[in-house]
Amino acid sequence: MRKILTLAAAGLLTTFASAEEVFKLEKTQITATREERPELDIPAGVETVTHEEIEMERQYNISEMLEGLPGVQATTKNGGYDVRLIIRGGGLKAPYAVREINILLDGVPITDPDGFSRLDFIDPQMLEQIEIVKGPNSTLYGANSAGGVVNFITINPFKFQGYKIRAGYGNYSTYMYRLLYGGNNGNNVYYNANFSYRKSDSWREWNRFESFQTMTKIGWLIDDASSLETTVSFTKSDLQLPGSLDKDEFEENPAQQTSSPWRKSGRYSRIFFWSNKYTNEISDSLTLKATAYLQRWTHYHPVFGRVNEGGSYVGGIDAQLEIKHKLFGKNSLLITGVQGRYDHYNSKRYTYELCKFIDGTIDYCRNATADNQIEYVLTDNKDQLYDDQKNRNYTVGIFAQETVNFSDKFLMDFGLRLDTVKFDIEKTSFYTLEYVYNRTYRYYGPYYIKYDAPVYEKATKTWNYISPRVGVVYKFVPNWSVYGTISTGFQTPQDSELLVNPGLDASYTVNYEVGTRAVGNRFYVSSAVFFMVTKNEIVRTYTPEGDRWYMNAGKTHKKGFEFEAKVKLLRGVYVGGSYTYYNFKYKSFVYQDDEGNIIDYSGNKMHYIPRYMYSLYSMGRFPIGLKYRVEVNTWGPYYADDANTEKYSDYKNITNIMIGYEKGKKWEVSFDVRNVFDKKYAAQYLKTDWGYNIYPAPPRTYMIRASYKF
């Protein structure tokens, strides 16, 4: 019987796994190669977070499940759904959300064409597995995969039957609720429906979070060879953004709100997601997999200087064929396909409504002047139209990957992809925002200037890129493999960068990597060494007139070493850890600042990249029902700026614990504490031309959870 008919039975058997099988030493994933393989057979740096490991976490923020993984920096600056995610340096340029990393939800891309991803799509309580590919992988996933790929996989409708309810309460008025129901119609239709709610008043001022999410999945086993899976989800997520602090504010009281003029920032989003996946095993040697999807998101987004109100319609397809055949007389698999996507984005930004001026008066923000600037906004309400932008972005990619199994010990992947990405951007501006120094009040502050006539800008750009990849795996023995790979990726500019300089090219990354993995009955070990070269990095500079400009001028070299190990001590008890070493430098980084000075950072270390990171943990689940997890995470010192003038080194020995009890796979209760010793440290500590940009990390927080399955 073909694999597709065993999905439901396999899911039910997994539910009743014994204590020894709960935490897997040998893992499999699909994302790295677009086919399910053991990690031992994957010629790339990968991480797989299983459902059992996810269940040991709080499941409130995605960063909880990613921190501590080698090569991965995961933290949160604003709580709620916010995640600061960097993989081997990819994502460093993102001031918020995620860039340079291709984010997938059940294999469907939720990353914008300019590489921007928002993780309010993801419901942490619905996750079945997280699959991470470290380093560039544009060969299989196209543009904006230069830093890696992360695939968030939700609970399969074929695997869960019954009801499950969960409730949690934590300090700072933090709540989480979840109801999951799964069933079938007695024949070949399976389904599940999930409803979840998260809310927190937070430990910081102006940082309230509230989210409601629902997801329904329907799976239909059409016949012995084909299936159809449909997913529909809706998210309503509201998050107040407290902003960064300067050095004195951080030392005085990290819970306070920012002193920035724009202290009513936030993001209030509504998201609809729909996808259909069709699988057909046409013959023993030919399988078709096709996905069509539609997304609609909108947000009200007060941020720096403007109130953004807009959204996007996104539609796309992903179709691939898996062809088993012989090549050089050896068993081979050809995976080939096409991806297409269209993004229809409209955004209107507005001036803030009411402000306090530096002379103490309260008035419409648009009435501020160079002699009486804005001190801070009083509300997050919008007022006058600041600008109107329309983006029409298209992406098409054709890919092929040939896997040749020369023997039981040796396999090789060859991959090639051709991508076309087109941006068509129009923007009409009615206001501009200026900062000036007021000698009377000794204050450097902002004010709006209305143009005499609307300013129209347009940028149209098409990129065509070829992304090759080659990888080999050799097994000395069945459970010990070594691999080598050369992979590539490219990153398109942001729309704001392209409007300034329509001639910008995409940056291009080549990764050279070797690694090894070994797994036994009681241990798992992996390590990797990599060297990445990125050319055409986009650098911000200024014209002789002092106007902001972007150009392709940067080049970076990233060298790193990663190590991970897990050992089974007793029945159901494991200890493990990871270590990462980074040496990331700007090979070439020269630009002109706003005063006309030539700045040369060539040879400097990249900011916010720790010299090293390590994590130690122990976790266990016993036959009597007790379970626990203890982890300690440390980041080594990193530079706070590209000038390398100051280091930050207080992100160390952050300890989290969880203890729980479960009975008969029916009910479970747990208590977890994050930052057990209430350490004061920064999730992000940066130094800019305008001062410090510090986001404090959360103090000690706790959560009590209880769930019941029936």
Side-chain angles (χ1 to χ4, degrees):
M1 188 69 66
R2 290 193 168 111
K3 246 192 286 189
I4 198 166
L5 294 178
T6 67
L7 286 171
L12 293 174
L13 287 173
T14 301
T15 303
F16 298 102
S18 66
E20 294 95 333
E21 297 169 327
V22 166
F23 302 118
K24 300 173 183 175
L25 292 171
E26 184 174 1
K27 302 177 182 179
T28 63
Q29 71 157 259
I30 298 172
T31 307
T33 58
R34 282 183 170 257
E35 63 156 333
E36 186 170 12
R37 287 191 199 178
E39 289 185 346
L40 285 169
D41 294 341
I42 297 175
V46 298
E47 297 292 333
T48 307
V49 185
T50 66
H51 180 67
E52 293 76 22
E53 292 167 330
I54 291 171
E55 286 292 308
M56 298 289 279
E57 299 290 350
R58 184 178 294 183
Q59 295 176 260
Y60 198 85
N61 183 282
I62 296 295
S63 65
E64 302 159 8
M65 308 162 200
L66 303 179
E67 63 184 6
L69 298 177
V72 178
Q73 288 173 256
T75 185
T76 176
K77 300 190 303 182
N78 300 298
Y81 62 77
D82 171 73
V83 177
R84 182 78 157 105
L85 178 61
I86 300 173
I87 300 176
R88 292 183 177 176
L92 180 62
K93 289 179 62 178
Y96 56 95
V98 179
R99 277 202 83 214
E100 302 175 305
I101 300 168
N102 203 336
I103 304 295
L104 312 177
L105 177 58
D106 290 325
V108 175
I110 59 175
T111 296
D112 293 345
D114 69 347
F116 203 74
S117 301
R118 303 165 184 86
L119 295 185
D120 43 358
F121 273 87
I122 311 298
D123 183 354
Q125 299 187 82
M126 190 60 179
L127 292 177
E128 177 75 20
Q129 184 157 294
I130 304 172
E131 299 181 353
I132 301 170
V133 185
K134 296 179 286 188
N137 199 339
S138 286
T139 306
L140 293 179
Y141 293 99
N144 308 313
S145 304
V149 180
V150 182
N151 190 6
F152 294 97
I153 300 170
T154 60
I155 296 173
N156 193 307
F158 299 109
K159 290 187 177 183
F160 182 85
Q161 307 290 300
Y163 292 87
K164 187 173 185 178
I165 58 174
R166 173 184 290 160
Y169 171 77
N171 53 342
Y172 305 106
S173 297
T174 301
Y175 303 91
M176 59 190 300
Y177 306 102
R178 186 259 191 108
L179 170 64
L180 174 65
Y181 170 65
N184 67 74
N185 68 346
N187 294 307
N188 293 327
V189 177
Y190 296 78
Y191 51 86
N192 63 38
N194 184 73
F195 305 88
S196 67
Y197 175 78
R198 290 174 290 157
K199 175 258 178 186
S200 178
D201 288 342
S202 183
W203 63 280
R204 285 197 70 187
E205 298 177 29
W206 192 260
N207 194 201
R208 191 177 189 276
F209 167 65
E210 186 174 34
S211 175
F212 170 77
Q213 294 177 284
T214 179
M215 174 178 282
T216 299
K217 305 184 75 171
I218 301 174
W220 177 25
L221 299 178
I222 301 171
D223 53 36
D224 289 356
S226 60
S227 67
L228 178 66
E229 186 177 328
T230 297
T231 300
V232 179
S233 72
F234 174 76
T235 297
K236 176 182 178 293
S237 188
D238 298 332
L239 176 62
Q240 294 174 335
L241 304 176
S244 64
L245 304 177
D246 65 28
K247 197 171 184 178
D248 291 336
E249 291 166 343
F250 176 67
E251 294 299 332
E252 175 191 355
N253 177 18
Q256 66 182 300
Q257 188 181 357
T258 182
S259 58
S260 161
W262 320 111
R263 59 189 64 177
K264 296 296 183 181
S265 295
R267 186 165 187 267
Y268 313 98
S269 59
R270 309 292 182 265
I271 304 165
F272 171 79
F273 175 89
W274 174 55
S275 70
N276 294 281
K277 295 183 179 182
Y278 175 72
T279 301
N280 189 350
E281 295 183 14
I282 299 170
S283 67
D284 291 338
S285 60
L286 182 62
T287 300
L288 168 67
K289 296 179 180 179
T291 301
Y293 57 90
L294 176 67
Q295 302 163 18
R296 168 60 173 162
W297 63 263
T298 62
H299 68 189
Y300 186 82
H301 191 17
V303 284
F304 184 94
R306 301 96 171 163
V307 178
N308 190 339
E309 188 172 42
S312 187
Y313 292 94
V314 181
I317 60 168
D318 183 330
Q320 74 175 47
L321 285 172
E322 299 178 5
I323 305 169
K324 297 178 182 178
H325 63 109
K326 295 283 187 179
L327 186 64
F328 310 123
K330 304 298 183 180
N331 291 330
S332 303
L333 175 66
L334 173 64
I335 297 178
T336 183
V338 60
Q339 288 182 297
R341 181 176 178 177
Y342 173 65
D343 190 330
H344 185 105
Y345 171 74
N346 293 327
S347 173
K348 291 185 177 182
R349 298 191 299 178
Y350 298 84
T351 64
Y352 278 90
E353 184 185 36
L354 289 178
C355 288
K356 181 184 177 185
F357 297 167
I358 57 172
D359 69 354
T361 60
I362 295 175
D363 199 350
Y364 288 105
C365 302
R366 65 178 185 272
N367 292 333
T369 66
D371 297 321
N372 192 17
Q373 304 112 299
I374 296 169
E375 183 178 357
Y376 56 86
V377 298
L378 296 173
T379 74
D380 57 2
N381 294 334
K382 66 182 182 180
D383 186 23
Q384 298 294 302
L385 183 62
Y386 183 94
D387 58 31
D388 187 353
Q389 181 172 323
K390 297 178 175 61
N391 294 9
R392 307 294 180 260
N393 301 327
Y394 316 80
T395 62
V396 177
I398 301 172
F399 63 90
Q401 175 181 269
E402 181 75 62
T403 301
V404 184
N405 292 280
F406 290 99
S407 68
D408 292 339
K409 293 186 175 183
F410 180 46
L411 69 81
M412 180 174 287
D413 287 340
F414 307 88
L416 190 68
R417 180 179 177 118
L418 173 63
D419 278 289
T420 296
V421 181
K422 181 180 179 181
F423 283 12
D424 192 351
I425 307 169
E426 296 181 17
K427 183 178 179 181
T428 303
S429 299
F430 304 94
Y431 282 85
T432 187
L433 183 69
E434 295 287 344
Y435 271 75
V436 295
Y437 182 72
N438 189 310
R439 294 183 181 275
T440 302
Y441 292 93
R442 296 182 179 180
Y443 175 74
Y444 185 73
Y447 69 102
Y448 295 110
I449 300 176
K450 186 173 183 178
Y451 290 120
D452 294 333
V455 176
Y456 178 75
E457 300 170 90
K458 182 177 175 62
T460 300
K461 179 75 173 183
T462 301
W463 297 274
N464 296 303
Y465 269 89
I466 296 175
S467 304
R469 173 181 171 269
V470 61
V472 296
V473 175
Y474 183 80
K475 291 184 176 180
F476 294 101
V477 293
N479 292 330
W480 176 28
S481 67
V482 294
Y483 72 87
T485 184
I486 302 174
S487 59
T488 57
F490 70 99
Q491 175 69 41
T492 59
Q494 288 184 268
D495 56 0
S496 58
E497 297 168 340
L498 197 63
L499 277 171
V500 173
N501 181 5
L504 281 173
D505 206 348
S507 61
Y508 192 76
T509 300
V510 181
N511 178 48
Y512 307 89
E513 181 176 345
V514 294
T516 184
R517 298 184 181 97
V519 62
N521 292 330
R522 305 186 70 89
F523 73 92
Y524 170 83
V525 177
S526 71
S527 66
V529 178
F530 64 87
F531 174 49
M532 286 192 286
V533 178
T534 301
K535 299 180 179 180
N536 286 335
E537 287 272 23
I538 297 171
V539 174
R540 185 185 69 190
T541 183
Y542 291 87
T543 67
E545 294 76 26
D547 296 325
R548 182 175 295 184
W549 185 254
Y550 296 95
M551 59 186 293
N552 295 108
K555 181 179 180 180
T556 60
H557 282 184
K558 302 174 184 176
K559 302 174 184 177
F561 168 75
E562 297 165 357
F563 176 82
E564 182 180 15
K566 181 189 292 185
V567 177
K568 179 180 175 182
L569 293 181
L570 304 169
R571 182 183 180 187
V573 178
Y574 299 79
V575 295
S578 67
Y579 179 84
T580 303
Y581 170 81
Y582 284 147
N583 185 6
F584 291 3
K585 289 185 177 182
Y586 294 107
K587 190 68 175 177
S588 174
F589 187 1
V590 181
Y591 74 98
Q592 177 176 292
D593 67 14
D594 56 355
E595 296 180 355
N597 302 310
I598 301 301
I599 307 298
D600 188 353
Y601 290 152
S602 302
N604 285 12
K605 297 290 183 67
M606 299 175 68
H607 73 275
Y608 197 55
I609 299 296
R611 185 71 168 174
Y612 58 84
M613 300 185 296
Y614 66 81
S615 177
L616 300 171
Y617 67 87
S618 176
M619 61 182 180
R621 181 175 266 155
F622 301 96
I624 60 173
L626 291 175
K627 63 179 182 177
Y628 77 95
R629 178 179 172 89
V630 181
E631 63 180 356
V632 180
N633 297 312
T634 291
W635 292 8
Y638 61 80
Y639 282 106
D641 59 352
D642 289 327
N644 292 179
T645 61
E646 183 177 345
K647 285 184 177 181
Y648 182 73
S649 58
D650 284 346
Y651 192 133
K652 54 189 176 183
N653 299 327
I654 309 305
T655 305
N656 308 314
I657 64 170
M658 185 280 295
I659 56 174
Y661 179 78
E662 57 188 8
K663 184 175 181 180
K665 302 296 182 181
K666 287 290 186 180
W667 65 271
E668 175 258 349
V669 62
S670 65
F671 175 73
D672 75 84
V673 183
R674 299 186 62 80
N675 193 3
V676 172
F677 301 108
D678 202 22
K679 183 175 177 60
K680 179 181 176 181
Y681 70 105
Q684 175 180 290
Y685 187 101
L686 300 182
K687 184 180 179 183
T688 71
D689 295 338
W690 301 277
Y692 286 90
N693 188 324
I694 302 172
Y695 282 88
R700 181 192 299 120
T701 62
Y702 65 82
M703 173 73 72
I704 301 171
R705 294 190 313 164
S707 66
Y708 184 76
K709 182 181 178 183
F710 53 93

